[in-house]
Amino acid sequence: MTQQSSALTLAVVGHTNVGKTSLLRTLTRDVGFGAISHRPSTTRHVEGARLSVDGESLIELYDTPGFEDAIALYEYIEQLPQTERRLDGPEQVQRFLETSEAAQRFEQEAKVLRQLLQSDAGFYVIDAREPVLAKYRDELAILAMCGKPLLPVLNFVNDPEQREAAWRDVLARLGLHAIVRFDSVAPPADGEQRLYENLSLVLDSQRPRLQRLIEHNLAQVQVRRKAGHRLIAELLIDVAATRRSVHPELLDEAIKELHNDVRKREQQCVEALLKLYAFRKGDAEAQDLPLTEGRWGEDLFNPATMKQLGVKLGGGMAAGAATGAGIDLFTGGLSLGAATLVGAAIGGFTQTFRNYGDRIKGKWRGERELTVNDATLRLLAIRQQRLLTALELRGHAAQERIQMDTPLEQHWRQGELAPQLTTARAYPAWSSLNGRKPKLDHERTSEIEHLAASLAKQDAES
């Protein structure tokens, strides 16, 4: 058995195409690990990965090829000539590995058995949709010969065709009672925790090491979630603070330009969230994210998109409210504030004029102020929070998008717009979309932090 000072070595074994590599990608958070395909025998070689905490390697995981013909292999091992004394399981396996068949007919199975013999324990991954056939019973019998603890991992248990009860029954008959449900399509939020907790039942001496990994993973979940809410809050403040003065004759072109700028800013947030959760830009295609090729399939400024997500089209803020009355018009997802100057020069151009001088001058020239309206901000919030939720629940075998309708979304559809966004509208210097670097002052940072905390609270309550 591996000493406590050395990394715990685990072999991930099972039939071909049951999700072994998908499990490894999820545990390592490495989308580039191994190769995943619906074709059988995708993994042809043993490949390893290391899980570390504070620079210390705690676990080494080894992906192995899938069993292809366990029935024939079991028969072959059974018919090998008898020796003077009865061999135990590991000796029988070792004798098989020394035969020519181990390098030819049963080459893939030999790689699996060699790795399990060298490991402290193994994860036996099961496609719970499959009936319990003779080939799986023989796989388990052969793996048991290695004399290493095995922890069965039931995959695809959320599928309507799953046969979890049958698998639990046969595993119990074989003395395997510590079983983990870990669906690679939609892994449970506490899936990793349960995996390592159950592993500690069969490897009691490794409990401190596994508990340390559990605590580290739980802490990282909170770190990623907090960082995700911060990225969303920065996006919303950035867009809410956008304000551009434009002459009516140039209005159509200005709207188009702002549409493109807001789309690009949203895509920056999408890519930042994908990177935060260790996914690549293109990993969203045909997976469980509400994206296609790392981008939203539905355009942000399409009224049908707002209708689909339950966001009502309505007027936005009254541009220039501090200096007078405003008229709100909705056009293409934007608020066009055509305010009438009322008493702008009261008090001889006092502090109000100094703060809003450029805006007042623009109105004297007949310009309109272009801002992003409430409905678009609501849609941005919903889309990014959908993405964050999907990333947290993301597995590596999903083929359909997650459909979500959470209380958090209802808040953004129907509740009051976050006060931090209302505040941001009065500070165009806070936005990176106004042609200059945003003013990174304490008040802007404070509003972002308060909005991120509000998003986190809504998330927890939902």
Side-chain angles (χ1 to χ4, degrees):
M1 179 62 69
T2 302
Q3 299 298 316
Q4 189 67 22
S5 59
S6 303
L8 173 63
T9 56
L10 301 172
V12 181
V13 301
H15 198 71
T16 182
N17 209 34
V18 294
K20 298 185 297 297
T21 303
S22 293
L23 174 65
L24 266 293
R25 285 189 174 186
T26 299
L27 295 180
T28 60
R29 291 182 177 80
D30 181 0
V31 295
F33 181 87
I36 292 177
S37 171
H38 289 299
R39 298 190 305 273
S41 306
T42 302
T43 301
R44 306 299 296 176
H45 306 284
V46 175
E47 186 173 354
R50 190 174 284 119
L51 301 181
S52 301
V53 174
D54 297 330
E56 179 184 350
S57 177
L58 296 183
I59 293 180
E60 291 178 358
L61 295 159
Y62 292 92
D63 192 15
T64 65
F67 272 89
E68 297 177 349
D69 196 353
I71 294 177
L73 174 58
Y74 189 69
E75 292 176 350
Y76 178 76
I77 293 176
E78 287 287 293
Q79 61 84 38
L80 287 174
Q82 298 296 317
T83 59
E84 295 181 359
R85 66 178 181 83
R86 184 180 296 276
L87 301 180
D88 62 19
E91 289 173 329
Q92 287 181 286
V93 173
Q94 188 59 50
R95 186 171 63 153
F96 154 68
L97 293 175
E98 294 169 356
T99 67
S100 60
E101 290 293 85
Q104 300 176 24
R105 180 184 176 189
F106 301 114
E107 179 186 10
Q108 298 306 310
E109 287 83 355
K111 293 177 182 177
V112 178
L113 297 175
R114 285 195 186 93
Q115 185 56 56
L116 185 55
L117 286 173
Q118 297 169 9
S119 301
D120 296 309
F123 289 142
Y124 180 67
V125 183
I126 299 167
D127 184 343
R129 301 169 299 185
E130 289 288 311
V132 186
L133 303 175
K135 61 182 179 181
Y136 299 124
R137 294 177 185 270
D138 286 351
E139 283 177 7
L140 285 164
I142 296 169
L143 292 170
M145 290 181 185
C146 293
K148 301 292 184 176
L150 276 182
L151 179 64
V153 180
L154 293 174
N155 197 9
F156 305 114
V157 289
N158 293 327
D159 192 281
E161 304 299 323
Q162 55 86 10
R163 295 177 170 86
E164 181 179 350
W167 275 103
R168 285 186 176 274
D169 180 64
V170 72
L171 292 170
R173 290 173 180 269
L174 295 172
L176 298 171
H177 299 281
I179 301 170
V180 178
R181 304 171 85 254
F182 197 99
D183 196 303
S184 59
V185 173
D190 61 348
E192 289 183 58
Q193 180 179 344
R194 292 186 181 183
L195 187 73
Y196 297 128
E197 286 176 347
N198 278 272
L199 184 59
S200 69
L201 296 177
V202 298
L203 290 173
D204 186 67
S205 64
Q206 298 291 334
R207 188 179 297 273
R209 178 192 303 274
L210 294 169
Q211 185 59 38
R212 184 180 173 194
L213 185 58
I214 289 171
E215 293 172 356
H216 172 76
N217 287 345
L218 290 174
Q220 289 302 302
V221 167
Q222 297 303 317
V223 168
R224 286 191 296 272
R225 186 174 297 160
K226 182 177 181 180
H229 288 136
R230 171 77 186 220
L231 287 170
I232 296 172
E234 288 176 347
L235 166 70
L236 295 174
I237 292 292
D238 208 9
V239 174
T242 304
R243 181 185 300 280
R244 300 176 180 181
S245 293
V246 57
H247 193 277
E249 294 180 359
L250 304 175
L251 195 55
D252 290 343
E253 187 63 29
I255 291 174
K256 185 183 299 185
E257 182 179 341
L258 186 53
H259 279 186
N260 291 333
D261 289 345
V262 173
R263 289 189 190 105
K264 290 178 182 178
R265 182 62 184 86
E266 185 188 25
Q267 185 61 28
Q268 290 175 8
C269 186
V270 167
E271 293 175 7
L273 286 171
L274 287 169
K275 182 177 180 180
L276 175 65
Y277 281 84
F279 293 112
R280 296 168 298 202
K281 294 180 184 179
D283 288 331
E285 184 177 8
Q287 298 292 329
D288 58 346
L289 302 183
L291 302 173
T292 301
E293 297 183 345
R295 292 183 175 274
W296 295 95
E298 303 83 10
D299 185 69
L300 175 67
F301 294 100
N302 187 338
T305 304
M306 294 190 180
K307 183 177 180 181
Q308 179 184 358
L309 296 183
V311 177
K312 295 182 179 180
L313 304 181
M317 62 165 284
T323 60
I327 300 174
D328 294 329
L329 301 175
F330 179 81
T331 302
L334 304 175
S335 172
L336 301 177
T340 302
L341 182 61
V342 178
I346 293 178
F349 297 104
T350 57
Q351 186 66 36
T352 299
F353 182 80
R354 285 195 294 271
N355 288 338
Y356 296 93
D358 289 340
R359 293 170 61 188
I360 292 173
K361 291 176 184 177
K363 295 185 186 304
W364 280 345
R365 292 192 294 264
E367 294 179 354
R368 292 185 175 182
E369 287 196 320
L370 200 58
T371 64
V372 177
N373 78 337
D374 289 5
T376 304
L377 289 171
R378 292 177 187 277
L379 183 59
L380 279 171
I382 289 173
R383 280 157 62 117
Q384 296 308 309
Q385 288 173 112
R386 280 195 171 196
L387 175 58
L388 181 61
T389 300
L391 287 170
E392 290 190 333
L393 299 176
R394 176 180 167 84
H396 292 84
Q399 297 299 313
E400 297 180 358
R401 298 178 184 179
I402 290 178
Q403 299 298 322
M404 290 171 287
D405 186 10
T406 67
L408 183 146
E409 288 190 11
Q410 290 299 329
H411 173 88
W412 280 94
R413 288 176 182 142
Q414 303 173 4
E416 294 291 331
L417 198 65
Q420 294 82 13
L421 300 184
T422 303
T423 300
R425 290 196 156 154
Y427 293 89
W430 288 1
S431 177
S432 66
L433 305 182
N434 290 332
R436 62 180 68 89
K437 290 185 178 180
K439 184 180 180 182
L440 305 180
D441 58 21
H442 172 74
E443 188 173 1
R444 178 182 185 274
T445 300
S446 177
E447 293 300 316
I448 289 174
E449 291 176 350
H450 280 94
L451 181 55
S454 176
L455 292 170
K457 182 179 179 181
Q458 295 168 22
D459 194 5
E461 292 175 349
S462 66

